[in-house]
Amino acid sequence: MTQRARTSVCVVGGGLAGITAALELADAGLEVTLTEARARLGGLTHSFRRGEMWVDGGQHAFLRCCTSYLGLLDRLGVRHLTQLQDRLEVPIASEASDRRTRLRRNELPAPLHLSASLLRHSWMPLRQRLLVGPIALALGRVDPADPAVDAQTFGGWLRSKGADDRSIEVLWELIGKATLNADADHCSLALAATVFQLGLLADKGASDLGWARVPLQQLHGDAAERALADVGCTVRLRTKVSEIVPTEDGIDVRTAAGTQRYDAAVLAVPPAALSRVIDPVTLGLPADVAEQLGVSPIINLHVVVDRPVLDTEFVAAVDSPLQWVFDRTESAGLESSVQYLAVSISAADELIGRTNAQLRDWALPHLRKLLPRMADAEILDFFVTREPEATFRAAPGSARLRAPARTRQPNIVLAGAWTDTGWPATMEGAVRSGHSAAEVVLAHPRTPAPVETPARSPSRRPLVPHGLLRASSRAPQGTRTDPSGATDEFVKAQELTRALVTPALRKAVDTLAGLERLVVAYHLGFVDAQGNPVHEDGGKKLRPMLALLSAQAIGADPAQAVGGAAAVELVHNFSLVHDDIMDRDRTRRHRETVWSVWDDATAILAGDAMQALAFETVLAETGHHAAEAGHLLAATVRELIRGQMLDMDFEQRDQVSLAECRAMAAAKTGALLVCSTELPAVLTGADREQRGALATYGRNVGLAFQIVDDLLGLWGDPDVTGKSNHSDLRAKKHSLPICWALEQPGGAALREWFADGATTDDELARIAGELEALGARDWCRTSADSAITRAITALHGADLDEAAVTGLTEVAHYVAGRDM
């Protein structure tokens, strides 16, 4: 069977967000055109020539916790052109003193990793230094998602905790102003809390600082042009889009060269530029969203002197308006006999309108005081670059104005650091927005499978990008599979998981007593309802298998992750027992469910017992990271509960959008898959990059799992799945394929049945057939394939063990191919 032409997508904007979206969509096989009004890619992260030297338009640094940005560098093949500190170390200079200090982390776990350095931060009084720890802990408890938090200023909150103006200036703004492009008294507490929680409080290595060793144009724009060409993306530079027009069958993109129609568009542009090409109201945004968000400027002063005057890569400034000074001599291509200094000044509202001459007269005296060796140096060159609209204004209340990737127009998607990324307007936020935009496009039901493929067979596996895996994406010829599609390799991994994890589960169950012990042991497949030992039928052990493979992936002994693996399996089974009660399912794993053997109350308590055992198990782990792992497990359980609450709410509603259903699935199913892959990384102290890659893998495998689970809930064989036939239809649940089908033009009859149709066996079989005729089954397969592709892609470039990556790939294929 030959599928219809590939989906065409126009990505408008060639900054980091547009580059990321275009690459991900092209990698997935879509026909992508990227338009950029400038003559080069890279957006604000660009460079230009000034005589013989290269000049970056602005100074951009990143942190180790910027895992998405680092992933983009890997995708572009340029990470080696950057410098990332082994350990955070920030030299600090003052105009008021010749002495220097350093903000340096030690090997203690966060947040203690900066304690010694902060106690020596003598730019602030001792009393204020002693307050830093309590304030940091309080900041770690702030919920950035709370609108009331977003409504507060960071400066006001700091003062409420005892910070004075001096400590805000020489510590909190030293870190926050450059990242947030706002001073503390005009910055949202929610955004500030995000920066400090992710960068300083979550992991000791998260704040390690990185920067480019080459011009940014070489790092981003030039590398992106090569990468986009390699995947067949059409790049049109010097192409300004004048209008975006939604039509009945696509999106018209108008430029000076004419009008081109696409199936979808990603608008990776700032709010003001967005408003110039389409009415924001059309997308579900306020008409004046650009004005409400506002802009915050950055200026960069460029000074070339006749001798070296700065002996470190950079220096942060206190008692000075200059903020940060970087040595860019080498990256500019200059000889070491001179020195090129780049001074970055954020939140530069008062300076942006000054002339170059005025800025020179203002800046040079400050620079000479900050760098005493510059006193007698000759100024060879001085010039200014301005970024008047560098970022949106990170003011209190800005969170409600940051748009999600998905808009009211189903085939127009937004990207850019100003969108709702969960990060401030940084390179990391821009890249994350590009990934989110691509995910929305790929999830759209009109997006067909990206390449020409033969007709599917029941054993078909998902597509992966060519050359991505060393091992074939399909089972090698001669590889045996069990009836569910699992290969020999998968079965061996499953057997090893049972051998390692089952004893840990039995040990946990043995701490219970009486009926509680019997019921939990029955559910886990250890005994029958009378307590007689039986052959274990406790499921596929998918989640603990992921935990053990993830431990191996980061170079740890899988035995180190047994406690974590047992914990996620206990949480999973706690949720299953409660789900069975709520869904009134009478069978699971080919036997009666707990509530149907005993009663609801007994089943609820059995589930609660397994949840408690999970926390006891993970907190009993040795090492320094058990508490952090416990927090992750707790957050996961909260997400599971939130997902279940959404699922229950959907049962009371007539209409549930596909986007809402995806969000529910991400919480109810995806959260525990993410925890399964991330928990071993936490327990073993893996770096942020590896942890992020494993979490991304888990998130996408979780989505694929739920899609296939919903497919099996409609068309699965009860003898294979162990579940009641058509159970989701009988309950009229808003599962993913059903929500997709209800939004299709041909879904009117289905919507009528969903409102008041009968649920006899014959009627349910008829409705299942109608869903398949609408294309819901094919949509499930395509969507699961896309999610698995993204999952596998995330594993590459994170320095993971190759054998474990192969195992994780096998698990992903199994998840997506359970009935395919």
Side-chain angles (χ1 to χ4, degrees), residues 218-357:
Q218 180 181 341
L219 189 70
H220 296 154
D222 296 347
E225 282 199 60
R226 293 192 298 271
L228 290 165
D230 287 345
V231 293
C233 175
T234 300
V235 177
R236 292 177 179 164
L237 301 175
R238 298 185 180 89
T239 302
K240 184 175 182 179
V241 173
S242 59
E243 191 175 10
I244 301 289
V245 182
T247 68
E248 290 186 1
D249 56 351
I251 300 295
D252 282 353
V253 178
R254 296 177 181 171
T255 67
T259 299
Q260 179 71 43
R261 179 159 296 177
Y262 299 89
D263 295 317
V266 175
L267 307 186
V269 294
L274 177 73
S275 299
R276 290 193 288 269
V277 298
I278 191 170
D279 183 354
V281 175
T282 304
L283 306 178
L285 303 177
D288 59 347
V289 61
E291 291 76 12
Q292 288 192 55
L293 266 176
V295 294
S296 188
I298 296 175
I299 67 168
N300 300 275
L301 312 177
H302 306 265
V303 186
V304 182
V305 293
D306 65 345
R307 69 195 69 173
V309 297
L310 176 63
D311 57 2
T312 54
E313 296 271 8
F314 60 90
V315 66
V318 297
D319 301 313
S320 172
L322 298 184
Q323 299 179 18
W324 291 74
V325 183
F326 297 85
D327 175 11
R328 300 297 289 163
T329 309
E330 182 181 356
S331 67
L334 296 180
E335 298 292 333
S336 58
S337 57
V338 301
Q339 191 167 41
Y340 164 32
L341 304 175
V343 183
S344 180
I345 304 176
S346 300
D349 297 82
E350 296 180 1
L351 301 174
I352 193 71
R354 297 190 188 185
T355 65
N356 284 17

Side-chain angles (χ1 to χ4, degrees), residues 90 92 99 101-103 114-126 128-129 132 166-167 169-172 174 318:
V90 178
I92 302 171
R99 64 188 173 87
T101 61
R102 291 177 183 269
L103 186 64
L114 293 172
S115 55
S117 184
L118 290 172
L119 286 173
R120 294 192 297 269
H121 191 65
S122 54
W123 307 110
M124 53 197 288
L126 178 60
Q128 287 292 319
R129 281 178 261 164
V132 171
R166 177 64 177 171
S167 69
E169 174 192 353
V170 301
L171 178 62
W172 301 105
L174 182 77
V318 297

Side-chain angles (χ1 to χ4, degrees), residues 72 149 183 209 298 515 622 667 686 790:
L72 175 62
V149 170
D183 60 57
L209 197 61
I298 296 175
L515 181 61
T622 58
R790 294 193 296 273

Side-chain angles (χ1 to χ4, degrees), residues 6-7 21-32 75 231 438-439 441-442 447-451 463-466 782 785-787 789-790 793:
R6 295 185 300 162
T7 294
L23 280 172
E24 188 162 337
L25 293 170
D27 282 341
L30 277 64
E31 185 179 347
V32 181
R75 177 64 180 82
V231 293
E439 287 182 5
V441 173
L442 292 172
T447 303
V451 295
L463 300 168
V464 295
H466 176 71
T782 300
D785 281 3
S786 296
T789 296
R790 294 193 296 273
T793 302

Side-chain angles (χ1 to χ4, degrees), residues 518 522 527-534 591 597-598:
L518 170 63
Y522 169 83
V527 299
D528 62 19
Q530 288 72 45
N532 302 309
V534 297
R591 53 201 247 153
V597 174
W598 284 275

Side-chain angles (χ1 to χ4, degrees), residues 391-591:
T391 69
F392 71 90
R393 193 169 292 278
S398 57
R400 63 182 177 82
L401 298 168
R402 299 182 71 183
R406 190 183 302 275
T407 74
R408 184 178 293 169
Q409 294 290 331
N411 48 356
I412 297 181
V413 183
L414 299 179
W418 69 277
T419 60
D420 186 9
T421 65
W423 278 68
T426 59
M427 295 191 294
E428 174 73 5
V431 175
R432 284 174 178 259
S433 78
H435 286 307
S436 296
E439 287 182 5
V440 171
V441 173
L442 292 172
H444 192 275
R446 291 182 60 185
T447 303
V451 295
E452 187 174 285
T453 63
R456 296 176 182 267
S457 68
S459 61
R460 183 189 177 275
R461 293 188 166 206
L463 300 168
V464 295
H466 176 71
L468 179 64
L469 301 176
R470 293 181 181 274
S472 170
S473 62
R474 296 176 181 269
Q477 186 174 2
T479 299
R480 294 182 293 113
T481 61
D482 73 5
S484 68
T487 63
D488 281 349
E489 290 79 5
F490 180 93
V491 172
K492 289 176 182 177
Q494 186 181 67
E495 291 172 351
L496 178 61
T497 301
R498 291 184 188 278
L500 290 175
V501 176
T502 298
L505 291 173
R506 289 183 178 275
K507 181 179 178 181
V509 173
D510 285 344
T511 64
L512 304 175
L515 181 61
E516 181 184 39
R517 177 180 177 181
L518 170 63
V519 177
V520 171
Y522 169 83
H523 173 77
L524 291 174
F526 299 158
V527 299
D528 62 19
Q530 288 72 45
N532 302 309
V534 297
H535 178 69
E536 182 189 5
D537 186 20
K540 293 291 185 183
K541 295 291 186 292
L542 177 66
R543 289 152 192 84
M545 190 190 313
L546 286 174
L548 299 184
L549 284 169
S550 296
Q552 181 185 343
I554 57 180
D557 185 341
Q560 291 181 259
V562 168
V568 294
E569 182 69 0
L570 286 164
V571 167
H572 173 54
N573 281 276
F574 132 70
S575 70
L576 294 182
V577 169
H578 285 193
D579 280 354
D580 289 340
I581 300 169
M582 288 179 274
D583 296 341
R584 309 316 288 172
D585 283 338
R586 304 193 67 89
T587 59
R588 180 176 293 279
R589 298 168 182 161
H590 309 286
R591 53 201 247 153

